[in-house]
Amino acid sequence: MYELEKSKLIDLGAEITTREIRQQPELWEETINIYKNAQEELQEFIGKVKEAAKGQKTRVIFTGAGTSQYVGDTITPYLRQHGNHQDFIFEAIGTTDIVASPQEYLISDEPTLLVSFARSGNSPESIAAVEIANQVVNTIHHLSITCAADGQLAKISQADAKSFLLLMPSRSNDDGFAMTGSFSCMTLSTLLVFDQSDLETKQHYVETLSKLGEEVIAREKDIQKIVDLDFDRIVYVGSGSLAGLSREAQLKILELTAGKVATVFDSSMGFRHGPKSFINDKTVMFGFVNNQTYTRDYDLDVLEEVRADGIAAGVIAIAQPGKRNFSGDQFAFSEELALLPDGYAALAFVMVAQTVALLTSVKVGNTPDTPSPTGTVNRVVKGVTIHPYQ
């Protein structure tokens, strides 16, 4: 797909999605430059958030719907270790949960920074979550991370003195049905904002990420061999931030095949507790392998177990090589590149999952750019009624 001419991709209904997956390493370089340019203003804004808390810890709630929610699911475990614990408590809560049941998720007397993720910023829940938070929480600030400068979320952020707008690279506002570059850019930018590592370290992470991403593009044939297996089910598992990533990875398959390939996701250890029943001889299981040595053992253990059971069509590890590696099939990145912590490694790993979804969509006769033939699922959610909250 990545080597096909544009006309051929258009014929396959895959030109937009293919382009948007392929350009991500470039977008990551743009994203860190955006962060550098906004760093001083961001620090000033976060300083105001801390000051308003008057000695209390601030709840940082990462929120969004669908893929935008999974940004928070992916980064929260990493930031709980590497973020500012003295001033912040990090949580991930979907806008769909906040809007449907605010009283169960928002606490009026706890200072809160609502970090809203949105590709277009036009989903009804995105705006409603901001408005309800303003209504419920006494000390509230907003950080809006979105890909569309003309979206509603961006507009209301610019008009609010207690909000900060961080716009992603313009090309990350994906035109395709599935969110790809929008997911990875919003994820990366949030890591850059809240990770306590120094700028030089972050720069090194992004440089390594870009090389890993380019490797995914160059090794499409290796991924195609996996997609050529006989399967109609896919499993994604992982630990830490990679457990959150498993949810986004399985959604790409579900979206781009319009449900023709069934999917589940779970943590590596949690998978044994019932969800393993999903596996049959037409299932491919993917495991995201953590680079933290202790956690890595659990990721590899479950993959070795399923492989030994002989119950799946394929068991594949997605990993950077470490001291211990999977004995079966794997998409292993180059050994010469530095091992990344899971929050950052997730961005390279998701490119593998995105490519699997793209190739599988074409395999089952779907069109990746417009995968929902009935139109019942849309690029921006429609048909949502927002009820007044009293």
Side-chain angles (χ1 to χ4, degrees):
M1 299 293 287
Y2 297 128
E3 296 180 356
L4 292 180
E5 293 182 0
K6 183 176 180 178
S7 59
K8 178 62 175 175
L9 290 170
I10 291 173
D11 290 342
L12 291 170
E15 190 276 328
I16 297 171
T17 307
T18 302
R19 166 169 43 85
E20 290 176 342
I21 295 173
R22 183 174 51 203
Q23 70 189 10
Q24 286 175 102
E26 297 175 13
L27 296 185
W28 299 339
E29 298 289 351
E30 288 184 42
T31 299
I32 193 169
N33 287 331
I34 289 171
Y35 165 72
K36 288 177 182 177
N37 291 333
Q39 190 175 11
E40 186 175 332
E41 289 181 77
L42 273 166
Q43 289 175 345
E44 182 180 345
F45 172 73
I46 291 173
K48 291 179 181 178
V49 172
K50 292 190 288 188
E51 183 180 352
K54 297 180 179 178
Q56 283 185 266
K57 285 191 176 183
T58 297
R59 292 180 77 196
V60 179
I61 300 177
F62 299 118
T63 195
T67 289
S68 295
Q69 177 183 342
Y70 308 154
V71 174
D73 291 341
T74 300
I75 61 178
T76 297
Y78 176 83
L79 292 175
R80 283 177 177 160
Q81 180 181 2
H82 298 282
N84 177 354
H85 311 130
Q86 181 178 349
D87 298 308
F88 299 127
I89 300 169
F90 298 102
E91 303 176 59
I93 306 172
T95 54
T96 47
D97 293 321
I98 291 173
V99 172
S101 191
Q103 68 280 3
E104 295 183 344
Y105 294 100
L106 300 176
I107 302 172
S108 61
D109 60 357
E110 288 197 357
T112 300
L113 172 61
L114 192 71
V115 183
S116 297
F117 301 114
R119 172 171 58 178
S120 70
N122 291 323
S123 295
E125 301 95 333
S126 295
I127 307 307
V130 170
E131 292 174 345
I132 291 173
N134 286 339
Q135 186 177 344
V136 173
V137 183
N138 297 329
T139 304
I140 184 73
H141 290 81
H142 298 274
L143 172 58
S144 298
I145 300 180
T146 181
C147 306
D150 58 351
Q152 285 183 270
L153 183 63
K155 290 178 180 177
I156 66 171
S157 297
Q158 288 174 310
D160 183 2
K162 292 186 176 182
S163 296
F164 190 98
L165 174 63
L166 187 60
L167 284 171
M168 297 295 92
S170 59
R171 287 187 297 161
S172 71
N173 186 12
D174 304 308
D175 290 323
F177 178 89
M179 291 174 63
T180 53
S182 52
F183 171 81
S184 63
C185 287
M186 290 191 293
T187 301
L188 177 58
S189 66
T190 313
L191 290 170
L192 296 173
V193 170
F194 290 102
D195 185 358
Q196 291 288 88
S197 302
D198 60 42
L199 183 58
E200 183 178 354
T201 299
K202 294 174 184 177
Q203 182 72 58
H204 176 65
Y205 286 162
V206 174
E207 290 170 358
T208 302
L209 264 178
S210 295
K211 292 176 183 176
L212 294 174
E214 293 293 350
E215 185 174 343
V216 175
I217 301 304
R219 293 177 55 194
E220 179 187 345
K221 291 180 181 178
D222 293 338
I223 300 173
Q224 183 66 61
K225 290 177 183 177
I226 300 169
V227 174
D228 287 340
L229 296 171
D230 183 17
F231 66 90
D232 57 18
R233 296 183 174 199
I234 281 184
V235 174
Y236 278 101
V237 298
S239 300
S241 285
L242 303 179
L245 184 69
S246 70
R247 194 171 186 183
E248 168 61 9
Q250 67 84 34
L251 180 63
K252 291 304 91 149
I253 284 286
L254 202 60
E255 288 179 326
L256 293 186
T257 68
K260 292 180 181 178
V261 175
T263 62
V264 298
F265 67 93
D266 211 319
S267 65
S268 294
M269 291 194 75
F271 184 68
R272 294 184 181 91
H273 295 263
K276 187 179 175 184
S277 306
F278 181 79
I279 293 185
N280 61 19
D281 61 0
K282 289 218 172 167
T283 305
V284 173
M285 178 179 180
F286 291 94
F288 296 125
V289 181
N290 205 298
N291 287 325
Q292 206 283 334
T293 305
Y294 174 81
T295 305
R296 187 183 187 90
D297 282 336
Y298 290 107
D299 291 335
L300 292 173
D301 284 350
V302 71
L303 295 177
E304 297 290 1
E305 177 182 311
V306 175
R307 179 174 180 267
D309 289 340
I311 56 176
V315 182
I316 316 295
I318 299 174
Q320 289 188 269
K323 291 182 179 179
R324 181 188 171 192
N325 298 294
F326 185 46
S327 64
D329 296 328
Q330 55 184 325
F331 185 96
F333 287 91
S334 299
E335 292 188 20
E336 64 266 20
L337 294 175
L339 297 181
L340 290 173
D342 56 354
Y344 291 89
L347 303 183
F349 290 3
V350 81
M351 278 192 67
V352 180
Q354 291 167 349
T355 305
V356 169
L358 173 67
L359 297 175
T360 303
S361 180
V362 173
K363 176 183 178 179
V364 301
N366 221 19
T367 51
D369 294 345
T370 53
S372 180
T374 62
T376 54
V377 184
N378 301 283
R379 179 180 177 274
V380 179
V381 169
K382 299 178 180 178
V384 179
T385 300
I386 301 297
H387 302 280
Y389 179 65
Q390 301 299 326

